[in-house]
Amino acid sequence: MSSRDAASAFVDAMLTARLTGDFTPVAGCLGEVPGVFTGEPPYCWTECAGARRTIRVDHAFTGEGGDASGAQYLFTTLPVSYAVGNDYIDVWESWRLDAAAEGYVASGFSIEEPPFNREGALAVIVEYLEAIQRQDWNAVAAMLNDGAINPEERLDLQELAPTTYAYPDVAAALEQWCAGGCDSIAPTLDDLAFDGLFGIERDGRTISAAWFEGQYSISGLPFKQPTG
């Protein structure tokens, strides 16, 4: 089993332990509830009273790291959301896995809110949809090509297939993309999903707001109106 596969297996086992209270699935890796989990949102090992929790296992991210001693380890970040009344708390749960004689040992658990939030993400997504509603394709093109990623490397702009990645050509391609109409209905906070980014999904497509050098960055082509 590769190290990434081992990290993924630990995520699954840890979630089983959290849902059942039985630490057998993580025996040898984790022996007790990490101290960071105090029992109040967003520090809930099990379900918290008065909060609805969503754990995005499908968007857990695992990387490799090293410390000053030269020790190598894996680290995993897991997006988790709590709905508490009309409010939301969105966090990244993180921990490290160190290789042991048999498997890995988990430590260093932390829970942190991202540097961007649901309200800010909603505002930029609404701004994007309002530009689509106005058919201001120059504004839409500017939001999609904001410098966060080289335009040639953006999967959304690749799918759009403009003549070139200059603003006028991207704007013209967007106008053609929405020639049959595009959905510009504004979402609410409840509509946003947190998977490390904040986004909305309609008809199998997603528009997301991420964080790049201190500002929000939009990704995802306009939602075409359903046909037929």
Side-chain angles (χ1 to χ4, degrees):
M1 179 183 294
S2 72
S3 58
R4 298 299 179 94
D5 289 341
S8 178
F10 175 75
V11 173
D12 292 339
M14 185 183 71
L15 292 182
T16 298
R18 292 173 72 167
L19 293 173
T20 64
D22 179 4
F23 276 76
T24 302
V26 291
C29 295
L30 186 66
E32 60 184 7
V33 176
V36 70
F37 292 97
T38 63
E40 296 292 332
Y43 308 102
C44 299
W45 178 259
T46 57
E47 293 285 351
C48 288
R52 302 187 312 278
R53 184 178 63 183
T54 302
I55 301 176
R56 292 302 302 268
V57 182
D58 54 331
H59 284 269
F61 170 80
T62 295
E64 297 179 355
D67 58 26
S69 70
Q72 300 296 305
Y73 58 86
L74 300 174
F75 65 89
T76 299
T77 301
L78 180 68
V80 182
S81 293
Y82 293 85
V84 186
N86 294 323
D87 296 324
Y88 287 88
I89 307 173
D90 304 287
V91 296
W92 287 321
E93 293 185 5
S94 300
W95 59 87
R96 114 181 215 172
L97 287 178
D98 289 282
E102 296 182 5
Y104 291 85
V105 174
S107 64
F109 282 79
S110 66
I111 299 174
E112 298 179 352
E113 294 187 46
F116 54 105
N117 58 48
R118 187 175 291 254
E119 290 77 9
L122 178 64
V124 74
I125 291 173
V126 168
E127 179 185 354
Y128 180 62
L129 294 174
E130 287 176 345
I132 294 168
Q133 185 177 48
R134 297 193 309 271
Q135 299 184 19
D136 186 347
W137 306 119
N138 287 322
V140 177
M143 293 188 74
L144 285 175
N145 188 1
D146 61 3
I149 305 174
N150 289 333
E152 296 86 351
E153 298 174 1
R154 292 187 62 129
L155 296 179
D156 47 8
L157 293 186
Q158 289 176 13
E159 182 180 5
L160 188 63
T163 304
T164 75
Y165 290 98
Y167 282 123
D169 291 332
V170 173
L174 285 163
E175 183 175 11
Q176 181 60 38
W177 178 268
C178 287
C182 277
D183 177 359
S184 58
I185 298 173
T188 66
L189 287 177
D190 293 336
D191 296 323
L192 294 188
F194 177 64
D195 59 11
L197 310 177
F198 292 98
I200 56 171
E201 181 178 336
R202 292 175 186 168
D203 295 321
R205 304 188 70 91
T206 302
I207 292 174
S208 297
W211 189 245
F212 175 73
E213 293 186 351
Q215 64 182 11
Y216 289 90
S217 177
I218 202 83
S219 64
L221 296 179
F223 299 129
K224 289 185 178 182
Q225 293 281 15
T227 59

